[in-house]
Amino acid sequence: QECLSAAMLAIEDWDGPSFDPLVLHGLLTRTRRLENAGRNFFEKHERPTITTKGSKKKAETKKEDDDDNDDGGAGDPAWGRKKRSKAAGKLTLSDLLDGEDLYALLGVSVSASQDQLKKSYRKMVLQHHPDKQNPGEAKQESKGLSDEDVEFVKLQEAYEILSDTDKRRRYDSSLDFDDEIPEGLEEDEDFFKVFAPVFERNSMWSTKRPVPELGDSKTPIEKVQKFYAFWFAFESWRDFSQHAEYDLEDAQFREERRWMPSSE
């Protein structure tokens, strides 16, 4: 904005040479900077940025859709042959651990705690560490590793799996498990002796601890009620993904991934 101011000066008669009175005037220009605010600020500074980001995001989305379309569709002959080679979420063991009992390798039971697992692992590592072995007595494998080297690698891989809660659960879910439940009682069979082992076996899958026991005929009614309330609301962490027919990671495009779960 420009601010105008006028200055006027009149010169009266004076002692010098006479002349007509003069009036002098001029313009004084001042500049003041104004900042955009409110709607003006939005229009000038924010809207261009939003428009640019939105255009970029639309372009990226369009590119992803084009890529998906290039991968084929329901008419692709491979669509119906996407049988799983491995389950989504299934734990894949290395060739060295194929057929091995990871708990037996580390010298612990299936119910071992993390502390017990760590203690046993450290003990086993000291026994099988390559630096502790006599190179002259070590037998060589086909890949240039001695028997002790192979055993040491197995220990490391086994501990890596069992020390991770998620991996350990997936491994435990892949082990053989007795899912049999008696359909009834034979004559003279005791209910508690027949069904107590069933609840005890399945308690390993419980997400909640501790798991109440079945008890016996002398168990107080309050504990009996808590027992049945617990099992009626039983929550399991058991993972059945290794039995799934399709692998979501094998899907070549988005529509196929959406279709796969409905076929399991």
Side-chain angles (χ1 to χ4, degrees):
Q1 297 291 335
E2 295 183 353
C3 183
L4 304 179
S5 63
M8 302 181 64
L9 174 63
I11 303 179
E12 303 292 342
D13 291 340
W14 60 309
D15 295 339
S18 62
F19 53 83
D20 295 332
L22 299 176
V23 177
L24 302 178
H25 64 88
L27 297 178
L28 178 61
T29 303
R30 294 181 182 177
T31 302
R32 184 176 61 181
R33 181 179 179 183
L34 298 180
E35 295 288 347
N36 292 300
R39 181 178 299 177
N40 291 333
F41 181 86
F42 174 79
E43 293 293 339
K44 183 174 182 180
H45 299 285
E46 294 185 351
R47 183 183 291 279
T49 304
I50 296 175
T51 302
T52 302
K53 290 181 178 179
S55 301
K56 184 178 180 181
K57 185 174 182 180
K58 289 181 179 179
E60 292 176 350
T61 302
K62 185 176 184 303
K63 184 177 183 303
E64 290 178 358
D65 293 339
D66 292 341
D67 292 341
D68 287 342
N69 293 332
D70 292 340
D71 288 335
D76 189 342
W79 174 272
R81 299 197 303 267
K82 301 300 291 186
K83 297 292 183 179
R84 63 180 297 108
S85 57
K86 59 179 181 178
K90 179 182 178 181
L91 186 66
T92 303
L93 302 179
S94 68
D95 294 338
L96 289 178
L97 294 181
D98 187 25
E100 293 282 356
D101 183 340
L102 304 191
Y103 291 101
L105 278 175
L106 295 173
V108 295
S109 65
V110 178
S111 60
S113 65
Q114 287 296 330
D115 289 339
Q116 293 173 330
L117 195 67
K118 183 184 296 185
K119 183 177 180 180
S120 180
Y121 169 70
R122 290 177 176 175
K123 179 180 179 181
M124 301 291 284
V125 164
L126 289 176
Q127 293 177 2
H128 297 279
H129 197 283
D131 293 342
K132 300 289 185 179
Q133 309 307 317
N134 186 346
E137 298 178 357
K139 297 180 180 179
Q140 296 297 316
E141 294 288 327
S142 59
K143 294 184 179 180
L145 296 177
S146 67
D147 292 341
E148 291 298 336
D149 289 339
V150 172
E151 191 69 19
F152 182 72
V153 173
K154 287 181 180 180
L155 288 173
Q156 288 182 312
E157 293 184 4
Y159 181 72
E160 180 183 355
I161 293 172
L162 298 184
S163 61
D164 183 286
T165 301
D166 181 61
K167 291 181 180 180
R168 182 175 181 178
R169 286 181 172 182
R170 282 184 285 167
Y171 174 73
D172 289 347
S173 299
S174 68
L175 301 177
D176 292 334
F177 183 77
D178 183 6
D179 286 303
E180 184 179 357
I181 298 177
E183 297 181 357
L185 295 175
E186 298 291 339
E187 188 176 357
D188 296 332
E189 279 190 324
D190 183 79
F191 169 82
F192 299 99
K193 291 182 179 180
V194 172
F195 285 94
V198 177
F199 287 104
E200 185 177 353
R201 286 197 307 270
N202 285 275
S203 65
M204 69 172 291
W205 309 118
S206 178
T207 59
K208 298 180 180 180
R209 297 289 175 178
V211 179
E213 297 180 353
L214 179 60
D216 53 33
S217 59
K218 297 181 181 179
T219 301
I221 188 62
E222 294 81 7
K223 290 187 177 181
V224 173
Q225 292 173 342
K226 289 182 179 180
F227 172 85
Y228 283 106
F230 178 90
W231 284 98
F232 273 122
F234 185 73
E235 296 181 6
S236 173
W237 53 259
R238 193 176 183 183
D239 185 358
F240 293 94
S241 60
Q242 69 269 19
H243 302 298
E245 184 178 9
Y246 296 93
D247 186 357
L248 296 180
E249 295 181 359
D250 287 341
Q252 295 183 358
F253 49 93
R254 188 180 307 147
E255 286 73 15
E256 187 176 9
R257 288 194 294 272
R258 294 173 180 171
W259 170 80
M260 280 182 173
S262 62
S263 300
E264 292 182 1

